[in-house]
Amino acid sequence: MPRFHIHVHNSIGTTRDEEGQELRGLEEAEQRAVEGVRSILSEELLRGSFDLPGHVDIATPEGEILRTIRFREMVRCHLGEEEE
Amino acid sequence: MIERHLTRLRIRHDISEEEERVIRASVSEVREYPAGQTIIRAGETLRYSTLLLDGLICRYKDLKDGQRQIAELHVPGDFADLHSYTLKRLDHNILTLTHCRVALVPHDRIKQVTTEHPHLAEVYWFSTNLDAAIHREWVLSLGRRSAISRMAALFCELQVRLGLVGLADDKGFAFGLTQNELAECLGLTSVHVNRTLKQLREQRLVTFRNGRVEIHDLAGLREVAEFDPAYLYLDRRPR
């Protein structure tokens, strides 16, 4: 199986995934990236705020970026007013 | 062959030479397994318990969608499933995380040992109680600790448990897990584990790289984890 590295970039900097993981394909890597970012955001939210500007790069072991996904694409925020 | 097991027992218990002879004689077979092999599946009928000699193994349960939760790690010297002696089947699986060497101890020999040597019956009862105490600490981590504290707690626990059998010191220990397996211990994702490792590194507490946990500040790591080794019952028991 191919190896994918999921690098995370946000306001605190870049977290490079040096180890990577063997996955069935890019689709599974995207799924892992989304689950991972949602997990990080959910922990931030428990502390009262979350850092939505950011993105992940899914890369090959050689460093080629196959896909970039922005955090904004991974969650839906409803910021409208509460209905009376 | 079972030196680490005897070392582990003797941290807490007085084991006589006669008892040592009996424990050594209880092993029927030694097997080796590669990393990543489920060596016992939930539900299968068991007639022996597995004692880990070298490597790391875990107890895990999983969901239909493939998500896996590792419930406990075992270090050399531990029985992985002493409880199968009474249960006869497990409600969880046993998986090798690294290349492993294990000794098999048939249940009929455990019966003989514990019947003829009541002190060893207490020692092994204690051992299953200790596993339960470790499970409770993991429940606390999974339910209440933050990601960084959870990871720190796991490293602190392993530093103590591996240290008891000479496989860790204040500077660290070999730890051949992938980030994904670490995530399965901690109820996190691999991406979140990577981020949390970065935090621990930046706080100059610990670095996990190339199969090794390097501890830079053990006291600081224990503080982040709120680690209290009391649940590992390290004090010596009266005979």
Side-chain angles (χ1 to χ4, degrees), chain B residues 29-72:
Chain B
E29 186 184 340
V30 172
R31 290 183 187 173
E32 294 203 23
Y33 294 103
Q37 188 166 334
T38 296
I39 60 172
I40 300 174
R41 291 205 177 272
E44 70 179 89
T45 302
L46 293 168
R47 294 186 177 82
Y48 59 84
S49 290
T50 298
L51 172 61
L52 181 60
L53 303 176
D54 290 306
L56 284 173
I57 57 183
C58 69
R59 301 176 179 183
Y60 77 89
K61 300 187 78 143
D62 53 7
L63 295 173
K64 280 181 188 162
D65 65 4
Q67 289 194 81
R68 195 157 70 177
Q69 180 63 49
I70 293 177
E72 189 178 354

Short mmCIF file of all heavy atoms in Angstrom, two decimals, chain B residues 29-72:
data_model
loop_
_atom_site.label_atom_id
_atom_site.label_comp_id
_atom_site.label_asym_id
_atom_site.label_seq_id
_atom_site.Cartn_x
_atom_site.Cartn_y
_atom_site.Cartn_z
N GLU B 29 5.87 -24.24 26.19
CA GLU B 29 6.30 -23.99 24.81
C GLU B 29 6.66 -22.52 24.65
O GLU B 29 6.07 -21.67 25.32
CB GLU B 29 5.10 -24.34 23.91
CG GLU B 29 5.37 -24.29 22.44
CD GLU B 29 4.09 -24.56 21.62
OE1 GLU B 29 3.12 -25.14 22.15
OE2 GLU B 29 4.08 -24.15 20.45
N VAL B 30 7.61 -22.25 23.76
CA VAL B 30 7.95 -20.86 23.44
C VAL B 30 7.66 -20.65 21.95
O VAL B 30 7.98 -21.50 21.13
CB VAL B 30 9.44 -20.56 23.74
CG1 VAL B 30 9.83 -19.18 23.22
CG2 VAL B 30 9.70 -20.65 25.23
N ARG B 31 7.01 -19.51 21.65
CA ARG B 31 6.69 -19.21 20.25
C ARG B 31 7.18 -17.81 19.91
O ARG B 31 7.27 -16.95 20.79
CB ARG B 31 5.17 -19.24 20.03
CG ARG B 31 4.58 -20.63 20.09
CD ARG B 31 3.10 -20.57 19.78
NE ARG B 31 2.48 -21.88 19.99
CZ ARG B 31 1.19 -22.11 19.93
NH1 ARG B 31 0.34 -21.12 19.66
NH2 ARG B 31 0.70 -23.32 20.14
N GLU B 32 7.42 -17.60 18.61
CA GLU B 32 7.77 -16.25 18.15
C GLU B 32 6.73 -15.79 17.13
O GLU B 32 6.23 -16.61 16.35
CB GLU B 32 9.16 -16.25 17.49
CG GLU B 32 10.24 -16.55 18.50
CD GLU B 32 11.61 -16.04 18.07
OE1 GLU B 32 11.68 -15.11 17.24
OE2 GLU B 32 12.59 -16.58 18.60
N TYR B 33 6.43 -14.51 17.16
CA TYR B 33 5.46 -13.96 16.22
C TYR B 33 6.01 -12.66 15.63
O TYR B 33 6.67 -11.89 16.33
CB TYR B 33 4.14 -13.62 16.94
CG TYR B 33 3.39 -14.81 17.48
CD1 TYR B 33 3.42 -15.11 18.84
CD2 TYR B 33 2.64 -15.62 16.64
CE1 TYR B 33 2.72 -16.20 19.35
CE2 TYR B 33 1.93 -16.70 17.13
CZ TYR B 33 1.97 -16.99 18.49
OH TYR B 33 1.28 -18.06 18.98
N PRO B 34 5.67 -12.40 14.37
CA PRO B 34 6.05 -11.09 13.80
C PRO B 34 5.15 -9.99 14.36
O PRO B 34 4.11 -10.28 14.96
CB PRO B 34 5.80 -11.29 12.30
CG PRO B 34 4.73 -12.33 12.22
CD PRO B 34 4.93 -13.23 13.41
N ALA B 35 5.53 -8.75 14.10
CA ALA B 35 4.70 -7.61 14.51
C ALA B 35 3.38 -7.63 13.74
O ALA B 35 3.32 -8.08 12.60
CB ALA B 35 5.44 -6.31 14.24
N GLY B 36 2.33 -7.15 14.39
CA GLY B 36 1.06 -6.95 13.68
C GLY B 36 0.22 -8.20 13.54
O GLY B 36 -0.65 -8.26 12.68
N GLN B 37 0.46 -9.21 14.36
CA GLN B 37 -0.32 -10.44 14.26
C GLN B 37 -1.27 -10.57 15.46
O GLN B 37 -0.84 -10.45 16.61
CB GLN B 37 0.62 -11.65 14.22
CG GLN B 37 -0.13 -12.93 13.91
CD GLN B 37 0.82 -14.06 13.53
OE1 GLN B 37 1.94 -13.84 13.04
NE2 GLN B 37 0.39 -15.28 13.78
N THR B 38 -2.54 -10.81 15.16
CA THR B 38 -3.49 -11.08 16.24
C THR B 38 -3.28 -12.52 16.65
O THR B 38 -3.61 -13.44 15.89
CB THR B 38 -4.94 -10.82 15.77
OG1 THR B 38 -5.06 -9.43 15.45
CG2 THR B 38 -5.94 -11.14 16.86
N ILE B 39 -2.71 -12.73 17.83
CA ILE B 39 -2.33 -14.10 18.24
C ILE B 39 -3.45 -14.79 19.02
O ILE B 39 -3.47 -16.01 19.09
CB ILE B 39 -1.00 -14.13 19.02
CG1 ILE B 39 -1.07 -13.29 20.31
CG2 ILE B 39 0.14 -13.64 18.14
CD1 ILE B 39 0.17 -13.46 21.20
N ILE B 40 -4.36 -14.01 19.59
CA ILE B 40 -5.55 -14.61 20.22
C ILE B 40 -6.75 -13.77 19.81
O ILE B 40 -6.72 -12.53 19.93
CB ILE B 40 -5.44 -14.64 21.76
CG1 ILE B 40 -4.23 -15.47 22.20
CG2 ILE B 40 -6.73 -15.20 22.38
CD1 ILE B 40 -3.97 -15.43 23.69
N ARG B 41 -7.78 -14.44 19.31
CA ARG B 41 -8.99 -13.72 18.91
C ARG B 41 -10.07 -13.88 19.98
O ARG B 41 -10.18 -14.94 20.59
CB ARG B 41 -9.53 -14.26 17.58
CG ARG B 41 -8.61 -13.92 16.44
CD ARG B 41 -9.30 -13.87 15.09
NE ARG B 41 -8.33 -13.47 14.08
CZ ARG B 41 -8.06 -12.21 13.76
NH1 ARG B 41 -8.73 -11.23 14.34
NH2 ARG B 41 -7.16 -11.92 12.86
N ALA B 42 -10.82 -12.81 20.15
CA ALA B 42 -11.93 -12.84 21.10
C ALA B 42 -12.83 -14.04 20.80
O ALA B 42 -13.14 -14.29 19.63
CB ALA B 42 -12.73 -11.54 21.01
N GLY B 43 -13.21 -14.75 21.83
CA GLY B 43 -14.17 -15.83 21.66
C GLY B 43 -13.57 -17.21 21.50
O GLY B 43 -14.26 -18.21 21.73
N GLU B 44 -12.31 -17.29 21.08
CA GLU B 44 -11.76 -18.63 20.87
C GLU B 44 -11.50 -19.31 22.23
O GLU B 44 -11.19 -18.64 23.22
CB GLU B 44 -10.48 -18.60 20.02
CG GLU B 44 -9.26 -18.00 20.67
CD GLU B 44 -8.03 -18.04 19.77
OE1 GLU B 44 -7.82 -17.08 18.99
OE2 GLU B 44 -7.27 -19.00 19.86
N THR B 45 -11.67 -20.61 22.24
CA THR B 45 -11.48 -21.36 23.50
C THR B 45 -9.99 -21.47 23.79
O THR B 45 -9.20 -21.82 22.92
CB THR B 45 -12.10 -22.77 23.37
OG1 THR B 45 -13.48 -22.60 23.06
CG2 THR B 45 -11.95 -23.55 24.66
N LEU B 46 -9.62 -21.15 25.02
CA LEU B 46 -8.20 -21.13 25.37
C LEU B 46 -7.90 -22.17 26.45
O LEU B 46 -8.65 -22.30 27.42
CB LEU B 46 -7.81 -19.74 25.87
CG LEU B 46 -7.87 -18.63 24.81
CD1 LEU B 46 -7.75 -17.26 25.45
CD2 LEU B 46 -6.76 -18.83 23.78
N ARG B 47 -6.79 -22.85 26.26
CA ARG B 47 -6.34 -23.83 27.26
C ARG B 47 -4.99 -23.46 27.83
O ARG B 47 -4.37 -24.24 28.52
CB ARG B 47 -6.31 -25.23 26.62
CG ARG B 47 -7.69 -25.72 26.23
CD ARG B 47 -7.70 -27.16 25.75
NE ARG B 47 -9.07 -27.57 25.47
CZ ARG B 47 -9.72 -27.29 24.33
NH1 ARG B 47 -9.12 -26.62 23.38
NH2 ARG B 47 -10.96 -27.70 24.16
N TYR B 48 -4.51 -22.28 27.48
CA TYR B 48 -3.22 -21.82 28.01
C TYR B 48 -3.26 -20.30 28.13
O TYR B 48 -4.07 -19.63 27.48
CB TYR B 48 -2.06 -22.25 27.10
CG TYR B 48 -2.20 -21.73 25.69
CD1 TYR B 48 -1.75 -20.44 25.34
CD2 TYR B 48 -2.79 -22.50 24.69
CE1 TYR B 48 -1.90 -19.96 24.06
CE2 TYR B 48 -2.94 -22.02 23.40
CZ TYR B 48 -2.50 -20.76 23.09
OH TYR B 48 -2.66 -20.26 21.82
N SER B 49 -2.37 -19.77 28.98
CA SER B 49 -2.18 -18.32 29.06
C SER B 49 -0.84 -17.97 28.44
O SER B 49 0.07 -18.81 28.38
CB SER B 49 -2.23 -17.85 30.52
OG SER B 49 -3.55 -17.98 31.02
N THR B 50 -0.72 -16.73 27.97
CA THR B 50 0.45 -16.29 27.21
C THR B 50 1.28 -15.32 28.04
O THR B 50 0.78 -14.27 28.46
CB THR B 50 0.00 -15.62 25.90
OG1 THR B 50 -0.72 -16.60 25.12
CG2 THR B 50 1.18 -15.13 25.09
N LEU B 51 2.54 -15.68 28.22
CA LEU B 51 3.48 -14.85 28.98
C LEU B 51 4.44 -14.20 27.99
O LEU B 51 5.08 -14.89 27.19
CB LEU B 51 4.25 -15.75 29.97
CG LEU B 51 5.41 -15.14 30.75
CD1 LEU B 51 4.95 -13.98 31.62
CD2 LEU B 51 6.06 -16.22 31.63
N LEU B 52 4.54 -12.87 28.03
CA LEU B 52 5.39 -12.16 27.07
C LEU B 52 6.84 -12.18 27.55
O LEU B 52 7.14 -11.76 28.67
CB LEU B 52 4.89 -10.72 26.91
CG LEU B 52 5.66 -9.84 25.93
CD1 LEU B 52 5.63 -10.41 24.51
CD2 LEU B 52 5.11 -8.43 25.91
N LEU B 53 7.73 -12.66 26.69
CA LEU B 53 9.17 -12.71 27.03
C LEU B 53 9.90 -11.50 26.44
O LEU B 53 10.70 -10.85 27.12
CB LEU B 53 9.79 -14.00 26.50
CG LEU B 53 9.14 -15.31 26.98
CD1 LEU B 53 9.79 -16.51 26.31
CD2 LEU B 53 9.23 -15.43 28.50
N ASP B 54 9.65 -11.22 25.17
CA ASP B 54 10.28 -10.08 24.49
C ASP B 54 9.27 -9.42 23.57
O ASP B 54 8.46 -10.11 22.95
CB ASP B 54 11.44 -10.55 23.59
CG ASP B 54 12.62 -11.05 24.38
OD1 ASP B 54 13.11 -10.31 25.24
OD2 ASP B 54 13.02 -12.21 24.15
N GLY B 55 9.35 -8.09 23.46
CA GLY B 55 8.48 -7.36 22.53
C GLY B 55 7.35 -6.65 23.26
O GLY B 55 7.35 -6.55 24.49
N LEU B 56 6.42 -6.15 22.48
CA LEU B 56 5.26 -5.44 23.04
C LEU B 56 4.00 -6.05 22.44
O LEU B 56 3.93 -6.26 21.23
CB LEU B 56 5.29 -3.95 22.68
CG LEU B 56 6.25 -3.05 23.44
CD1 LEU B 56 6.24 -1.66 22.80
CD2 LEU B 56 5.88 -2.94 24.91
N ILE B 57 3.02 -6.33 23.28
CA ILE B 57 1.73 -6.78 22.77
C ILE B 57 0.62 -5.96 23.44
O ILE B 57 0.87 -5.26 24.42
CB ILE B 57 1.47 -8.29 22.99
CG1 ILE B 57 1.57 -8.67 24.44
CG2 ILE B 57 2.41 -9.14 22.18
CD1 ILE B 57 1.39 -10.18 24.63
N CYS B 58 -0.56 -6.03 22.84
CA CYS B 58 -1.66 -5.24 23.41
C CYS B 58 -2.95 -6.05 23.44
O CYS B 58 -3.09 -7.05 22.73
CB CYS B 58 -1.88 -3.96 22.61
SG CYS B 58 -2.54 -4.23 20.97
N ARG B 59 -3.86 -5.59 24.28
CA ARG B 59 -5.24 -6.06 24.28
C ARG B 59 -6.03 -5.02 23.51
O ARG B 59 -5.88 -3.83 23.78
CB ARG B 59 -5.80 -6.10 25.70
CG ARG B 59 -5.04 -6.97 26.65
CD ARG B 59 -5.62 -6.86 28.06
NE ARG B 59 -4.88 -7.73 28.96
CZ ARG B 59 -5.18 -7.92 30.25
NH1 ARG B 59 -6.21 -7.27 30.79
NH2 ARG B 59 -4.46 -8.72 31.00
N TYR B 60 -6.86 -5.45 22.56
CA TYR B 60 -7.67 -4.46 21.87
C TYR B 60 -9.08 -4.98 21.59
O TYR B 60 -9.32 -6.19 21.54
CB TYR B 60 -7.02 -4.00 20.55
CG TYR B 60 -7.14 -4.97 19.38
CD1 TYR B 60 -8.23 -4.93 18.51
CD2 TYR B 60 -6.16 -5.93 19.15
CE1 TYR B 60 -8.34 -5.81 17.44
CE2 TYR B 60 -6.26 -6.82 18.08
CZ TYR B 60 -7.36 -6.76 17.24
OH TYR B 60 -7.47 -7.63 16.19
N LYS B 61 -9.97 -4.03 21.41
CA LYS B 61 -11.33 -4.32 20.95
C LYS B 61 -11.57 -3.42 19.74
O LYS B 61 -10.92 -2.38 19.60
CB LYS B 61 -12.35 -4.02 22.05
CG LYS B 61 -12.11 -4.86 23.30
CD LYS B 61 -13.21 -4.70 24.34
CE LYS B 61 -14.42 -5.50 23.98
NZ LYS B 61 -15.10 -6.12 25.16
N ASP B 62 -12.49 -3.82 18.86
CA ASP B 62 -12.72 -2.99 17.69
C ASP B 62 -14.19 -2.94 17.31
O ASP B 62 -15.01 -3.72 17.82
CB ASP B 62 -11.88 -3.46 16.49
CG ASP B 62 -12.05 -4.93 16.18
OD1 ASP B 62 -12.92 -5.57 16.79
OD2 ASP B 62 -11.31 -5.45 15.33
N LEU B 63 -14.50 -2.01 16.43
CA LEU B 63 -15.86 -1.83 15.92
C LEU B 63 -15.93 -2.36 14.49
O LEU B 63 -14.90 -2.56 13.84
CB LEU B 63 -16.25 -0.35 15.96
CG LEU B 63 -16.33 0.27 17.36
CD1 LEU B 63 -16.55 1.78 17.26
CD2 LEU B 63 -17.46 -0.36 18.18
N LYS B 64 -17.15 -2.53 14.00
CA LYS B 64 -17.33 -3.09 12.65
C LYS B 64 -16.64 -2.25 11.58
O LYS B 64 -16.21 -2.76 10.56
CB LYS B 64 -18.82 -3.19 12.33
CG LYS B 64 -19.47 -4.42 12.95
CD LYS B 64 -20.94 -4.47 12.58
CE LYS B 64 -21.63 -5.58 13.35
NZ LYS B 64 -23.07 -5.44 13.39
N ASP B 65 -16.58 -0.92 11.81
CA ASP B 65 -15.97 -0.06 10.78
C ASP B 65 -14.44 -0.09 10.83
O ASP B 65 -13.78 0.66 10.11
CB ASP B 65 -16.49 1.38 10.91
CG ASP B 65 -16.07 2.04 12.21
OD1 ASP B 65 -15.31 1.43 12.99
OD2 ASP B 65 -16.48 3.19 12.44
N GLY B 66 -13.88 -0.94 11.70
CA GLY B 66 -12.42 -1.09 11.73
C GLY B 66 -11.73 -0.27 12.79
O GLY B 66 -10.54 -0.41 13.01
N GLN B 67 -12.47 0.63 13.45
CA GLN B 67 -11.84 1.44 14.50
C GLN B 67 -11.45 0.54 15.66
O GLN B 67 -12.25 -0.29 16.10
CB GLN B 67 -12.81 2.50 15.00
CG GLN B 67 -13.07 3.60 14.03
CD GLN B 67 -13.74 4.76 14.74
OE1 GLN B 67 -13.13 5.56 15.40
NE2 GLN B 67 -15.05 4.80 14.63
N ARG B 68 -10.23 0.76 16.13
CA ARG B 68 -9.68 -0.13 17.14
C ARG B 68 -9.31 0.67 18.39
O ARG B 68 -8.78 1.77 18.28
CB ARG B 68 -8.41 -0.76 16.54
CG ARG B 68 -7.88 -1.94 17.26
CD ARG B 68 -7.04 -2.80 16.34
NE ARG B 68 -5.78 -2.17 15.98
CZ ARG B 68 -4.86 -2.75 15.24
NH1 ARG B 68 -5.06 -3.96 14.75
NH2 ARG B 68 -3.74 -2.15 14.95
N GLN B 69 -9.62 0.13 19.55
CA GLN B 69 -9.19 0.74 20.81
C GLN B 69 -8.27 -0.24 21.52
O GLN B 69 -8.68 -1.36 21.83
CB GLN B 69 -10.38 1.08 21.70
CG GLN B 69 -9.98 1.71 23.04
CD GLN B 69 -9.28 3.07 22.86
OE1 GLN B 69 -9.76 3.93 22.13
NE2 GLN B 69 -8.12 3.24 23.50
N ILE B 70 -7.03 0.18 21.72
CA ILE B 70 -6.11 -0.62 22.52
C ILE B 70 -6.42 -0.34 23.98
O ILE B 70 -6.50 0.82 24.40
CB ILE B 70 -4.64 -0.29 22.16
CG1 ILE B 70 -4.36 -0.75 20.71
CG2 ILE B 70 -3.67 -0.95 23.14
CD1 ILE B 70 -2.98 -0.42 20.18
N ALA B 71 -6.62 -1.41 24.75
CA ALA B 71 -7.07 -1.25 26.14
C ALA B 71 -5.93 -1.38 27.15
O ALA B 71 -6.05 -0.90 28.28
CB ALA B 71 -8.16 -2.27 26.45
N GLU B 72 -4.86 -2.03 26.75
CA GLU B 72 -3.69 -2.13 27.64
C GLU B 72 -2.50 -2.59 26.81
O GLU B 72 -2.65 -3.35 25.85
CB GLU B 72 -3.95 -3.13 28.78
CG GLU B 72 -2.85 -3.10 29.84
CD GLU B 72 -3.08 -4.04 31.03
OE1 GLU B 72 -4.15 -4.65 31.11
OE2 GLU B 72 -2.15 -4.17 31.85
#
